[in-house]
Amino acid sequence: MESKIKKIGVLTSGGDAPGMNAAIRAVVRAARARGIEVVGVRRGYAGLIAGDIIPMYVRDVSNILQAGGTALFSARSKEFCTEEGMQKAIDVCQENGIEGLVVIGGDGSFRGAGDLSARGIPCVGVPATIDNDISSTDYTIGFDTCINCVVDMVDRIRDTMRSHERCSVVEVMGRHAGYVALHAGIATGATFVMVPEVPCSVVDVIKKIEEGRRFGKTNFIVLVAEGVGHAEELSRYIQDTTGIVTRATVLGHVQRGGSPTSRDRVLASRFGNLAVELLAIGKSNRVVGVKNDALVDYDLHEALAMKREFPMDLYVMNDIISI
Ligand code: F6P
């Protein structure tokens, strides 16, 4: 079927995530295969306002599939949130003949995509964030790579904690979401997982450590999402209260880099291809996602309003089996 649009742009916005490059590659190749011209917008919405636009052909995205980060760079733009900035972005799209935009990023980036769509620039959002905190999809691009990285790091920490019979508090990313802490916690057998979604106190952490001790446990891992506590502070408290030598590690941005896992590469490729399909049939203001492994797409505003229950069953399960 002939495409309803002739030229699209693709940008990455907000915190980067491994797999963004795989999505860019899929967008460029899927569009070119349909005879649609593609340009890359560098540095997210800031680059759109500045007209930082480059043509993208199929060979321009060779050998980026396996690379972490984003070849188009990413940024957070305050100017884009102003009326003036938004108008500049629209003008740049019109001047460059951009009839549709694929926005690869998190929910902050999707709000901008919604505003652009409402003003006549059709947008499709592709969820990419290590936080996995977008309710309209089961998984976001980058999450799988991130938790595998955390698991690798915590396994290493566990080796030395076991040798010295110590406790380790590991702070992971997640300012507002605990999916990284929860999944990595289950996969590493963490004694306690602190997440923003589940109220708990340091007293609960101590109780769990003491309980483990009574069952003969000699080394402990506590995972804390950055949104609820800090490793240094918590370590000191655990050591002072229990007498167990406790060390703190803040994993930081190591979690956001690295070559994407096969799972993230496949997900990103599917999302990128679907985003182009939607624009090609004239759809606008959509966000793509995956539910029970099937691709889905929703109205952007409906998607942003969706609420997903935190998987308490997993949280409780971990609490039971991490004794
Ligand atoms: O990418 C998501 C995220 O990693 C959050 O977990 C974290 O709070 C935030 O981005 C930090 O981003 P930056 O260091 O780029 O401000």
Side-chain angles (χ1 to χ4, degrees):
M1 201 171 70
E2 211 192 316
S3 169
K4 293 218 191 285
I5 55 175
K6 303 261 174 298
K7 185 171 181 178
I8 64 166
V10 54
L11 62 81
T12 49
S13 164
D16 66 349
M20 278 183 161
N21 281 325
I24 295 168
R25 170 181 176 269
V27 168
V28 171
R29 300 242 169 115
R32 291 282 175 187
R34 289 175 174 80
I36 302 170
E37 213 183 309
V38 196
V39 291
V41 180
R42 305 199 307 167
R43 302 182 177 84
Y45 293 123
L48 185 61
I49 291 169
D52 191 354
I53 288 166
I54 50 167
M56 296 194 89
Y57 298 94
V58 288
R59 287 276 76 76
D60 293 326
V61 287
S62 296
N63 287 313
I64 64 167
L65 175 70
Q66 70 278 23
T70 162
L72 286 175
F73 306 102
S74 194
R76 296 184 172 103
S77 169
K78 287 214 173 86
E79 194 185 353
F80 184 70
C81 302
T82 66
E83 187 52 41
E84 209 190 357
M86 170 68 60
Q87 192 51 52
K88 271 196 211 162
I90 293 167
D91 293 345
V92 169
C93 286
Q94 285 166 349
E95 282 155 20
N96 287 275
I98 297 173
E99 296 173 295
L101 202 56
V102 178
V103 174
I104 304 168
D107 50 5
S109 313
F110 294 165
R111 273 185 203 100
D115 292 343
L116 278 176
S117 299
R119 289 158 195 240
I121 309 292
C123 290
V124 175
V126 170
T129 161
I130 60 149
D131 289 335
N132 203 37
D133 60 347
I134 298 181
S135 301
S136 53
T137 184
D138 288 344
Y139 292 103
T140 56
I141 297 168
F143 176 63
D144 189 59
T145 309
C146 172
I147 53 174
N148 278 291
C149 169
V150 174
V151 166
D152 183 38
M153 297 296 143
V154 175
D155 283 350
R156 287 162 190 258
I157 292 169
R158 162 87 73 190
D159 288 344
T160 168
M161 291 304 118
R162 198 188 316 114
S163 305
H164 291 269
E165 300 178 287
R166 287 175 172 173
C167 173
S168 183
V169 179
V170 184
E171 185 179 318
V172 299
M173 276 188 166
R175 214 172 278 167
H176 308 291
Y179 292 94
V180 171
L182 174 65
H183 284 255
I186 294 170
T188 56
T191 302
F192 202 94
V193 177
M194 289 180 93
V195 294
E197 295 87 347
V198 185
C200 71
S201 76
V202 286
V203 176
D204 301 314
V205 181
I206 301 296
K207 259 196 214 154
K208 192 71 201 298
I209 290 174
E210 294 295 6
E211 191 189 5
R213 251 180 169 179
R214 283 198 299 279
F215 280 88
K217 204 173 173 76
T218 58
N219 59 93
F220 306 85
I221 299 287
V222 175
L223 277 194
V224 55
E226 63 182 341
V228 274
H230 296 292
E232 275 296 345
E233 219 176 296
L234 192 55
S235 290
R236 236 175 288 123
Y237 183 81
I238 292 172
Q239 181 162 304
D240 292 348
T241 317
T242 64
I244 301 168
V245 175
T246 305
R247 295 285 188 258
T249 306
V250 180
L251 286 184
H253 288 79
V254 70
Q255 299 159 87
R256 226 162 69 180
S259 180
T261 58
S262 58
R263 191 177 171 138
D264 273 332
R265 297 181 198 193
V266 172
L267 187 69
S269 302
R270 293 174 79 194
F271 279 178
N273 181 58
L274 176 61
V276 171
E277 251 174 38
L278 293 173
L279 287 173
I281 59 171
K283 287 206 179 180
S284 168
N285 199 41
R286 309 296 292 176
V287 61
V288 302
V290 65
K291 290 269 170 187
N292 302 320
D293 207 37
L295 288 176
V296 289
D297 65 280
Y298 298 106
D299 173 88
L300 236 162
H301 293 108
E302 278 172 25
L304 284 172
M306 284 178 189
K307 291 268 172 286
R308 179 171 58 181
E309 289 293 313
F310 191 71
M312 276 311 291
D313 52 335
L314 294 184
Y315 188 87
V316 171
M317 177 201 76
N318 187 59
D319 193 47
I320 294 167
I321 65 176
S322 65
I323 186 69

